[in-house]
Amino acid sequence: MSSAIEVVREAGDSAAVPPCDSRFHYVPPWRAATLRSLAEQVLPPVADVAARYSAAARPDEPITADETTTLIAACAYVRLRGGGDGCTLAFGGLPPELAGHARFERMTVRAALECVGWFDANQRCLTGVRIAPDRPAGTRPSDGALYGPELARRYGPARQVTERFNDVLRGFAKDFLGSHRVLELGTGTGRLARNVAPFAGSYTGIEASRAMIDAGRRDGLDVRHGDMMAMPFAAGSFDAVVEHESIDFCTEPLLAATEVERVLALGGRFYRVELETAPAAGIGRLQEGITAQLADMSGGVFPYWTKGQRQRLHRWLLWRGFVHRRIELARWDETRALRDWLQGLVNASYPSFSGIDERTALSVCVELAGAASMGDLDTRWPGRVGMILHQYELVDRCCPGHRPRP
């Protein structure tokens, strides 16, 4: 519990995150004060509810109105990452899988325990306290806020890549990962792992979403279910840690960074792979128009992006003594259907978080593309794609006080 607060405090509550503007909204970072509020004010009443009803024999009986309000507020607190941190982004109360419970003044015991499980899945790595009761045999625990079936369903369409992308990844693996013990953070359905694992000395992945693991299991990859903020690996277990846009969806990226430092052997490297896309100018203008219209429809919380956390993570790694090198792996021309250039906006990193469903987002794309004389969504347009590698080398432990715990 104290370590989570200390990590955030030491990194600086004011660590720079890009401000919200008319196009992008960033998940606010956790701050020491909101972590303390989570541990001291929000968590105890939820733990009381869990203890009171975990052994209840009648799951369809209602709990009290006050208990219902407590659970809804607690889940909203972790969904908003504390709230009140100077960012206009809001997920909007409970996640879709729990939203139905909020319609009732008094939810049932069964619904209450579902809310407790969801809340616990999102807070336990931050506080170090587990409060959810044991589940009956044959049932699985709740996935965290960003990791449920909705994510797995949308992941494929949102993350389609070409064979050139796969070729560049394989080249990266051959040049940088040969013979190394490799850990990948957030394997998803395995699109990076399939290219990297065959060339590593050994490969292990960790993924927080059981739904995503199930979707990618057919590739026979060694993927463990777990949270990158509290990894089930010994200190110094890996020579290389690889990440591709998964840490953006971590509840607190700085806690994930402490785990990367812990599991890396001295001299090991943390590789962050980024994909940059630059479509034709007309498509860029179309993207801006679509974003503005959907933001207006959602009351200003579209789209959901977390890219601003990368800058915060970068500053933390440098402060800890990692040596950074930016490497351009490749850059190439690519022709895609307009549908594919706009797919990121249709998904908007999963628009259910901002209240815009897929059909609405797609209809706006069709309408504005027609108005801009861009053709239908199957019209092909050129663009340029780049793959960037951020290499962080653990050359030494920065000081005795910051050596990670075993």
Side-chain angles (χ1 to χ4, degrees):
M1 158 51 211
S2 60
S3 63
I5 294 177
E6 287 168 4
V7 166
V8 174
R9 182 189 292 118
E10 287 184 6
D13 272 354
S14 61
V17 174
C20 299
D21 60 30
S22 60
R23 290 190 59 210
F24 299 106
H25 299 269
Y26 296 99
V27 171
W30 279 100
R31 300 179 185 268
T34 48
L35 281 167
R36 188 176 294 108
S37 295
L38 172 63
E40 297 176 359
Q41 300 173 29
V42 180
L43 188 149
V46 179
D48 289 344
V49 172
R52 193 172 302 124
Y53 294 107
S54 60
R58 287 174 285 195
D60 293 322
E61 284 194 350
I63 65 174
T64 70
D66 286 346
E67 290 168 337
T68 297
T69 299
T70 293
L71 291 179
I72 291 173
C75 290
Y77 190 91
V78 293
R79 189 167 172 81
L80 293 170
R81 301 196 181 187
D85 280 326
C87 181
T88 60
L89 174 84
F91 289 147
L94 295 182
E97 59 268 32
L98 300 182
H101 304 328
R103 295 199 301 267
F104 301 97
E105 181 182 359
R106 299 172 63 188
M107 69 175 70
T108 64
V109 169
R110 179 183 287 107
L113 293 181
E114 187 177 351
C115 287
V116 168
W118 187 91
F119 172 80
D120 189 50
N122 287 283
Q123 67 80 34
R124 67 178 64 171
C125 289
L126 299 172
T127 66
V129 178
R130 183 180 183 275
I131 61 170
D134 292 333
R135 290 173 173 257
T139 62
R140 300 197 299 181
S142 300
D143 282 328
L146 303 177
Y147 310 131
E150 179 79 354
L151 174 63
R153 184 177 72 81
R154 295 176 183 270
Y155 185 87
R159 297 291 188 267
Q160 291 187 16
V161 295
T162 63
E163 191 55 35
R164 180 64 189 275
F165 172 90
N166 295 327
D167 286 341
V168 175
L169 272 183
R170 288 190 286 266
F172 153 69
K174 291 176 184 177
D175 294 341
F176 291 86
L177 302 179
S179 78
H180 291 322
R181 299 168 297 170
V182 175
L183 169 67
E184 183 190 354
L185 305 182
T187 57
T189 57
R191 79 167 180 170
L192 187 117
R194 286 189 288 272
N195 293 297
V196 166
F199 302 99
S202 66
Y203 171 89
T204 304
I206 186 169
E207 171 58 54
S209 169
R210 291 173 177 82
M212 297 281 271
I213 291 174
D214 290 346
R217 185 162 284 161
R218 62 183 177 274
D219 296 303
L221 301 167
D222 179 13
V223 179
R224 319 284 177 85
H225 178 260
D227 199 304
M228 68 178 74
M229 295 186 294
M231 293 191 275
F233 308 117
S237 298
F238 299 97
D239 307 305
V241 176
V242 181
E243 181 271 337
H244 175 47
E245 299 182 354
S246 61
I247 210 163
D248 294 340
F249 300 96
C250 178
T251 302
E252 179 42 72
L254 299 191
L255 296 183
T258 65
E259 283 290 86
V260 169
E261 182 182 20
R262 183 182 66 82
V263 301
L264 268 178
L266 192 61
R269 292 174 175 178
F270 175 35
Y271 296 105
R272 289 187 48 250
V273 179
E274 289 186 4
L275 195 64
E276 297 180 348
T277 58
I283 296 178
R285 291 190 294 270
L286 177 61
Q287 288 173 330
E288 291 182 4
I290 293 168
T291 301
Q293 182 161 325
L294 293 175
D296 184 62
M297 295 170 64
S298 68
V301 296
F302 179 93
Y304 165 74
W305 295 115
T306 59
K307 310 305 188 208
Q309 296 283 29
R310 297 181 188 177
Q311 181 179 349
R312 188 164 168 257
L313 177 71
H314 175 76
R315 288 163 58 93
W316 188 93
L317 290 167
L318 297 185
W319 171 65
R320 296 288 284 195
F322 282 78
V323 175
H324 174 250
R325 182 184 173 201
R326 183 184 186 276
I327 304 167
E328 185 173 298
L329 294 175
R331 197 169 292 275
W332 63 93
D333 294 323
E334 193 167 292
T335 300
R336 300 180 181 178
L338 183 58
R339 180 188 310 277
D340 295 328
W341 286 118
L342 300 178
Q343 189 64 54
L345 289 178
V346 174
N347 287 274
S349 291
Y350 322 110
S352 62
F353 293 128
S354 61
I356 301 293
D357 60 67
E358 288 174 279
R359 181 172 296 181
T360 299
L362 187 60
S363 67
V364 170
C365 290
V366 171
E367 176 190 350
L368 295 189
S373 301
M374 300 291 290
D376 62 29
L377 296 188
D378 293 321
T379 304
R380 299 184 66 79
W381 286 86
R384 194 155 177 78
V385 178
M387 190 176 294
I388 307 300
L389 182 68
H390 290 274
Q391 173 186 288
Y392 297 90
E393 185 172 1
L394 183 60
V395 295
D396 196 3
R397 308 294 181 186
C398 62
C399 67
H402 283 161
R403 290 194 178 112
R405 295 187 301 275

